[in-house]
Amino acid sequence: MNALAYQNRSITHHINEHYQAGLEEQPAIAQGIVSEMMFREDQPWMSQLILLPLLRQLSQQARWQLWITPGQKLNRQWLVSAGLPLSKVMHVQARHEQQPTTVSAMAKALNSGNYSVVIGWLPEELSDQERLLLQQSAEQGQAIGFIMRPVSQVNLSDGQNFGLKIQSNLYH
């Protein structure tokens, strides 16, 4: 088994253990956070493995989950089969080329405090100013922001790294 497959299996096992341990044992979010997940579009299962347990946990809160997707509707049947309650999921379609508008919408939603999580698909890396705006908004609204960024095969052949960026004060 190669190292990446072992790491993926280990991550999945760890996530499932945490989710199975019970929602009441999970720590509350003391402040907001923004994380970025870069993924290969031909392997969407990886982002689902990582995000779904967290999204299920957050669906226990009274707040909404906002998905800002590029021009595609969320599949309601997939949401139900993934264990996410339709009554707490809001969806906004954004045009793929409208990154500044998507960042602005994410910031407003995170800042409002009405959403436990805001997930936005962005085609390009954030500027330092955009990242700071989102982080401050998440802290103000005590929410989680996930930036989903697809990595093309062209970027992979250029040697660009891809993966999950998780900010944590546990390791810094």
Side-chain angles (χ1 to χ4, degrees), residues 24-172:
E24 64 281 351
E25 295 177 18
Q26 300 296 324
I29 299 168
Q31 61 184 10
I33 188 169
V34 174
S35 290
E36 180 175 358
M37 181 182 290
M38 295 181 288
F39 64 95
R40 287 180 42 176
E41 290 181 306
D42 64 337
Q43 296 179 346
W45 55 268
M46 178 59 82
S47 56
Q48 293 173 14
L49 269 175
I50 294 170
L51 286 180
L52 284 177
L54 177 62
L55 294 176
R56 284 187 208 111
Q57 177 184 346
L58 292 171
S59 72
Q60 301 301 311
Q61 293 184 11
R63 302 188 294 169
W64 294 80
Q65 295 182 5
L66 178 62
W67 297 57
I68 304 173
T69 62
Q72 298 175 355
K73 287 187 175 185
L74 279 177
N75 184 320
R76 295 171 63 85
Q77 192 172 18
W78 177 83
L79 289 169
V80 171
S81 68
L84 300 175
L86 293 177
S87 62
K88 292 189 180 177
V89 173
M90 293 187 73
H91 178 237
V92 174
Q93 286 181 287
R95 292 193 178 138
H96 199 46
E97 67 278 355
Q98 291 183 320
Q99 178 154 325
T101 304
T102 301
V103 171
S104 176
M106 285 184 72
K108 287 178 185 176
L110 287 165
N111 193 55
S112 73
N114 293 327
Y115 302 95
S116 59
V117 65
V118 176
I119 306 167
W121 274 255
L122 299 174
E124 299 171 15
E125 268 196 63
L126 293 174
S127 68
D128 291 341
Q129 183 178 4
E130 290 171 325
R131 190 174 311 282
L132 180 61
L133 172 65
L134 290 176
Q135 183 59 46
Q136 290 172 339
S137 298
E139 288 172 5
Q140 176 66 33
Q142 295 183 350
I144 297 175
F146 275 113
I147 300 158
M148 305 296 291
R149 194 157 56 89
V151 177
S152 68
Q153 291 294 337
V154 173
N155 290 344
L156 292 175
S157 64
D158 291 343
Q160 177 180 354
N161 292 330
F162 68 98
L164 177 67
K165 296 179 181 178
I166 301 176
Q167 291 75 36
S168 173
N169 60 1
L170 296 175
Y171 304 108
H172 301 146

